[in-house]
Amino acid sequence: MTSAVRSAAAADFDARMESWRARMERALDARLPGADAVPSRLHEAMRYAALGGGKRVRPALVFATAATLGIDEDTVEAAACAIELVHVYSLVHDDLPAMDDDDLRRGRPTCHKAYDEATALLVGDAMQPLAFHWLATDPKLPPSPAVRLRLIDLMAQAIGTAGMAGGQAIDLQSEGRTLSIAEVDDMHARKTGAVIRASVMLAAECAPQLPPEHRASLERFAAAVGLAFQIQDDLLDVIGDVATLGKATGADRERGKPTYPALIGVEASQARMRRLHEEALSALALFGDGAAPLVNLSNWLLSREY
Ligand code: GRG
């Protein structure tokens, strides 16, 4: 591929990401309770946290997987909204003083700074059931009760102790301690990887006739991308720029968090990320050119600067 063709393909993909972001903004705006509905301060805070920011990586994974499997965006839109909502809840709770105690998120004051701690707790408490409600009731997701149950269970597994909440607990317990690489991988797989995997597999569940080997390839892709994405996040905390990231840097080292750069250094972390990236791309080989949306998304994700 010549560099002109490569940059045209990158520009096309940027436009696609932008269209997914715009779709998510409209879809979340329409689905979230209105700020004028009682309890209005809580609804306003939910809208503050969920709208107008974020890269929308998890919804992009839902849409790119759907495109790879020939499923239209309308069918999976509610799943994309649900996974983004649980992600937003986790950011709101993670920023609280009892957890990471951050003032800045997505380039704006964190939810508890803009409102108050009790409201930020309730924002998370209300977002979780709302995400499940969308999966259970959205009219465009596949109507089969068996598929709905699998979507709901996938989400539940991804955010419970086997997933995000468990990873966060390990993260908090690990501050100031040295973990092995295997332990860091396990923490990352739960804290970040489980929701990344769920983004891909929610879309896969909407293709009930998917052959088992295609499903297994998507699982391998998601596992590699999830870990690589978290290593990139760890690296950005060391070498990223506050203005570009829209959040503070250096926090992991200050808190003595066991991250990849802290354990093996920046260059070895970059090398590990590149290997995982290659693993992710090779897992997609089975889909041929049809996997272009996922290939382009992983290229974008792992070269991001924010
Ligand atoms: C509170 C149960 C609970 C979990 C919190 C999400 C999380 C778990 C902690 C946030 C801190 C962190 C570095 C988590 C790893 C996942 C991650 C990279 C989050 C940031 O995701 P981005 O970069 O954020 O996709 P945007 O704002 O673009 O959506």
Side-chain angles (χ1 to χ4, degrees), residues 13 16 20 57-73 76 196-207 210 214-215 217-219 221-222 284 287 290-295 297:
F13 185 71
R16 196 153 198 199
W20 285 335
V57 165
R58 294 145 193 86
L61 280 162
V62 176
F63 291 130
T65 307
T68 298
L69 301 178
I71 303 168
D72 65 49
E73 291 179 7
V76 295
I196 298 273
R197 170 186 177 269
S199 308
V200 171
M201 300 318 288
L202 283 171
E205 284 299 345
C206 295
L210 194 65
H214 285 63
R215 174 180 298 274
S217 297
L218 288 174
E219 293 269 12
F221 165 79
L284 295 174
F287 296 95
L294 281 174
V295 170
L297 177 56

Side-chain angles (χ1 to χ4, degrees), residues 137-278:
T137 61
D138 183 81
K140 293 196 174 147
L141 283 167
S144 147
V147 172
R148 294 295 174 122
L149 281 177
R150 283 202 295 275
L151 295 176
I152 289 167
D153 188 48
L154 238 171
M155 180 75 95
Q157 299 277 352
I159 68 176
T161 53
M164 188 173 73
Q168 180 76 347
I170 296 171
D171 182 306
L172 292 170
Q173 283 158 16
S174 307
E175 288 182 8
R177 292 179 41 218
T178 307
L179 299 189
S180 66
I181 284 285
E183 287 171 321
V184 173
D185 282 354
D186 176 55
M187 175 178 80
H188 286 347
R190 291 174 196 245
K191 189 175 86 166
T192 315
V195 172
I196 298 273
R197 170 186 177 269
S199 308
V200 171
M201 300 318 288
L202 283 171
E205 284 299 345
C206 295
Q209 306 308 324
L210 194 65
E213 62 276 22
H214 285 63
R215 174 180 298 274
S217 297
L218 288 174
E219 293 269 12
R220 279 210 316 283
F221 165 79
V225 161
L227 181 53
F229 181 74
Q230 181 58 59
I231 297 177
Q232 173 79 338
D233 202 72
D234 288 356
L235 281 163
L236 288 173
D237 191 67
V238 179
I239 56 177
D241 166 65
V242 180
T244 317
L245 284 169
K247 61 178 183 181
T249 56
D252 292 343
R253 199 175 53 188
E254 246 169 61
R255 293 186 190 112
K257 291 217 182 208
T259 63
Y260 256 85
L263 270 175
I264 61 173
V266 167
E267 275 175 28
S269 301
Q270 286 166 331
R272 172 99 165 103
M273 206 182 73
R274 279 194 297 272
R275 281 200 304 280
L276 285 162
H277 189 185
E278 281 158 22

Side-chain angles (χ1 to χ4, degrees), residues 53-58 84 86-95 99-100 102 105-106 128 159-160 164-169 171-172 188 191-193 196 229-230 233-234 236 245 247 252 257 301 304 306:
K55 295 180 288 299
R56 309 298 196 198
V57 165
R58 294 145 193 86
E84 181 67 10
V86 296
H87 167 60
V88 171
Y89 125 67
S90 77
L91 299 178
V92 170
H93 279 192
D94 183 66
D95 290 335
M99 295 215 188
D100 272 2
D102 279 311
R105 172 67 68 184
R106 293 180 165 176
Q128 280 196 70
I159 68 176
M164 188 173 73
Q168 180 76 347
D171 182 306
L172 292 170
H188 286 347
K191 189 175 86 166
T192 315
I196 298 273
F229 181 74
Q230 181 58 59
D233 202 72
D234 288 356
L236 288 173
L245 284 169
K247 61 178 183 181
D252 292 343
K257 291 217 182 208
L301 275 180
R304 73 195 166 100
Y306 67 102

